[in-house]
Amino acid sequence: MKETFIIIGEGPTEYFFLTSLKDEFRTLQNIDPQYPKHTSMAELELKIKKAIGQGYNHVYCMIDLDNKKEGKNKSDYINLKKKYHGKHISKPKKGIDCHIEFFETERCTELFFLYYFKYTTKLYNHSNEVEADLSKQCGYAKTTDFFRRHPLHQFFTQQGGSIYDAISNAEKSMATADDRGYTFSELGRMFKMLGIEKEIIWILNTHITIN
């Protein structure tokens, strides 16, 4: 039996991005992108609990740190992460054998999109600044209408970006994240765990061989 994965984002951006990847990569055909109707830690926890109860083997949560820097949002997130991140829940009689991982991006998922095109350690004070840089790079707009008209992975590729570069740049960002404390993404590690990097390399090698 295949391992089953559910990836929970905090909004439509992650959902539309992951859906666009499913259209491209066979490796991701057995993932189920989800996002809470409301961006809150309580809603995210409900999604996690539901995924566990449904029998998924892996629950991956894509986390933007932009709105979790202070106050109640920060404390709620820290408590949720302590409760679930890195946990293995096993209930054989109920058919539950589940690993849960959180994958953070500082400040937002758009940083991983920007990594399609270039590496940066620029300090962003707000997610809007990341979105503005991405828009200058490729014409990206954070609207549901844009997402529906432009499957995100394919759009970034058409504009000259590369998911292989995005994964590499995200991994590079993590190498110095502890010293810097900003502008990093763990999504490269997530996609490596999903096996997408191996498929990308196979596609690139096949293309080189054919040509």
Side-chain angles (χ1 to χ4, degrees), residues 98-137:
C98 181
H99 295 265
I100 306 162
E101 295 280 346
F102 284 28
F103 298 90
E104 299 174 342
T105 299
E106 162 55 64
R107 288 193 166 256
C108 57
T109 301
E110 277 76 12
L111 177 66
F112 185 77
F113 299 163
L114 190 59
Y115 283 159
Y116 264 75
F117 303 96
K118 64 180 183 179
Y119 179 69
T120 181
T121 57
K122 177 180 176 180
L123 175 59
Y124 292 99
N125 293 309
H126 194 276
S127 61
N128 290 344
E129 297 174 10
V130 188
E131 293 163 23
D133 272 4
L134 183 61
S135 180
K136 290 177 184 176
Q137 181 71 50

Side-chain angles (χ1 to χ4, degrees), residues 79-201:
N79 290 335
L80 186 71
K81 186 177 179 181
K82 285 181 179 178
K83 187 174 181 179
Y84 289 104
H85 175 57
K87 304 298 184 184
H88 175 211
I89 299 175
S90 179
K91 298 179 181 179
K93 291 183 179 180
K94 294 185 177 181
I96 293 174
D97 184 39
C98 181
H99 295 265
I100 306 162
E101 295 280 346
F102 284 28
F103 298 90
E104 299 174 342
T105 299
E106 162 55 64
R107 288 193 166 256
C108 57
T109 301
E110 277 76 12
L111 177 66
F112 185 77
F113 299 163
L114 190 59
Y115 283 159
Y116 264 75
F117 303 96
K118 64 180 183 179
Y119 179 69
T120 181
T121 57
K122 177 180 176 180
L123 175 59
Y124 292 99
N125 293 309
H126 194 276
S127 61
N128 290 344
E129 297 174 10
V130 188
E131 293 163 23
D133 272 4
L134 183 61
S135 180
K136 290 177 184 176
Q137 181 71 50
C138 66
Y140 170 86
K142 189 172 185 172
T143 67
T144 301
D145 181 62
F146 183 86
F147 297 157
R148 285 175 175 160
R149 289 188 294 110
H150 304 283
L152 288 174
H153 167 69
Q154 289 77 7
F155 174 76
F156 297 142
T157 301
Q158 290 163 5
Q159 300 304 311
S162 163
I163 191 170
Y164 184 80
D165 290 342
I167 292 171
S168 297
N169 286 332
E171 290 287 271
K172 184 178 178 181
S173 76
M174 292 307 302
T176 54
D178 290 339
D179 295 330
R180 194 170 62 252
Y182 57 85
T183 316
F184 61 84
S185 177
E186 294 181 321
L187 295 185
R189 183 168 66 89
M190 184 186 81
F191 286 119
K192 280 189 171 184
M193 290 172 68
L194 287 167
I196 191 173
E197 188 182 46
K198 293 180 181 178
E199 186 172 351
I200 295 168
I201 293 171

Side-chain angles (χ1 to χ4, degrees), residues 31-101:
I31 69 166
D32 185 10
Q34 295 282 315
Y35 69 92
K37 293 180 180 179
H38 307 286
T39 303
S40 71
M41 293 303 96
E43 185 74 14
L44 180 57
E45 183 169 17
L46 286 175
K47 282 286 186 183
I48 294 171
K49 287 180 176 179
K50 183 178 179 181
I52 295 169
Q54 289 175 324
Y56 283 94
N57 301 121
H58 302 275
V59 178
Y60 290 168
C61 300
M62 294 172 65
I63 304 294
D64 288 353
L65 293 181
D66 184 51
N67 61 350
K68 303 173 182 64
K69 307 297 288 184
E70 58 186 10
K72 189 175 187 299
N73 285 347
K74 181 178 180 179
S75 60
D76 286 350
Y77 173 63
I78 289 173
N79 290 335
L80 186 71
K81 186 177 179 181
K82 285 181 179 178
K83 187 174 181 179
Y84 289 104
H85 175 57
K87 304 298 184 184
H88 175 211
I89 299 175
S90 179
K91 298 179 181 179
K93 291 183 179 180
K94 294 185 177 181
I96 293 174
D97 184 39
C98 181
H99 295 265
I100 306 162
E101 295 280 346

